[in-house]
Amino acid sequence: MGQTESRGAGWGQAPPVVAAKAVKLDLDLERGKMGKLIGPGGKTIQGIQQRVLGVQLRTPNKDETGNGDYKFVPVTIIGRSDEAFKAAFLVNDVSPVCLAVLTAQMKPADTPLLLSSERIVNLQKEVNVDTLRLPKKHDKLPKVVIEGFLEDVVKAYTLMSGEFERAAQEAHHERESSKLKALSQAHHER
């Protein structure tokens, strides 16, 4: 794996549909870089939390890092996707992220619509992510999992969200069109 490009605070706004969704973003950082992320007296991590108020940012304590048994340690960010992505890029600016894993819960009723989009189903061919796990039709707690470089995970989720919104709008227009046709037929039959 190569070095990731850092975008940090200047990264910009996510599209509105992405901003509305809550996600969990797990970032793997090299163990040796955690001190830099925390900063003297916790100032660096506190600065990130103050710049991105809408997220929960959790770093492991020393007991949770395996006392040197592991090369990487997780940092977890939970919040609206646009805010979570902003926090992730700020973390990446301080301590490069080696791997990002995004988990987004879905409503069970949205699963068929998500799976009906060929672009979403084939997204891994379009965006270079290590893992793209889509829910199954009958999952009681459906979720999407995307794993890879931070920038690729953000791009895949943004494309997926935009495509899902497009498909939802199309389905809505089709339902409305069907209602109008039914009303028109009923009116003509009188």
Side-chain angles (χ1 to χ4, degrees):
M1 292 198 175
Q3 182 73 3
T4 58
E5 173 189 327
S6 177
R7 296 184 192 169
W11 178 65
Q13 295 283 345
V17 70
V18 176
K21 308 287 184 184
V23 299
K24 175 183 173 199
L25 193 56
D26 292 308
L27 309 174
D28 282 352
L29 280 64
E30 285 185 42
R31 166 188 288 296
K33 306 280 182 171
M34 279 302 293
K36 187 175 179 185
L37 176 62
I38 302 299
K43 287 188 185 226
T44 305
I45 195 79
Q46 288 170 5
I48 292 172
Q49 289 175 318
Q50 289 170 357
R51 286 179 70 182
V52 190
L53 297 174
V55 299
Q56 297 173 24
L57 199 151
R58 185 178 177 285
T59 57
N61 62 40
K62 290 185 189 236
D63 295 336
E64 295 173 316
T65 60
N67 295 323
D69 297 339
Y70 305 109
K71 182 177 179 178
F72 301 102
V73 292
V75 172
T76 301
I77 301 170
I78 299 173
R80 283 189 354 224
S81 57
D82 60 334
E83 296 293 319
F85 296 154
K86 181 178 177 182
F89 283 114
L90 290 170
V91 167
N92 189 58
D93 282 348
V94 176
S95 179
V97 173
C98 299
L99 178 72
V101 181
L102 177 137
T103 305
Q105 291 295 140
M106 295 181 55
K107 295 177 191 168
D110 288 342
T111 301
L113 185 61
L114 180 84
L115 296 176
S116 71
S117 169
E118 212 170 297
R119 186 171 185 203
I120 290 174
V121 172
N122 294 314
L123 188 65
Q124 201 164 5
K125 294 175 186 172
E126 191 173 332
V127 181
N128 188 25
V129 292
D130 296 335
T131 303
L132 172 63
R133 236 175 285 134
L134 299 174
K136 305 287 185 252
K137 279 186 180 178
H138 303 292
D139 286 351
K140 291 184 189 218
L141 296 172
K143 63 184 175 184
V144 170
V145 178
I146 306 171
E147 181 176 319
F149 286 120
L150 178 59
E151 289 82 7
D152 295 332
V153 167
V154 170
K155 181 178 179 184
Y157 185 76
T158 302
L159 286 172
M160 180 182 293
S161 294
E163 182 65 18
F164 180 79
E165 181 65 20
R166 188 201 58 73
Q169 287 174 355
E170 258 182 36
H172 175 74
H173 290 303
E174 285 177 23
R175 284 191 303 273
E176 292 300 311
S177 181
S178 294
K179 286 180 190 177
L180 287 173
K181 283 181 186 176
L183 285 172
S184 177
Q185 285 178 342
H187 181 70
H188 284 40
E189 291 174 0
R190 288 189 197 170

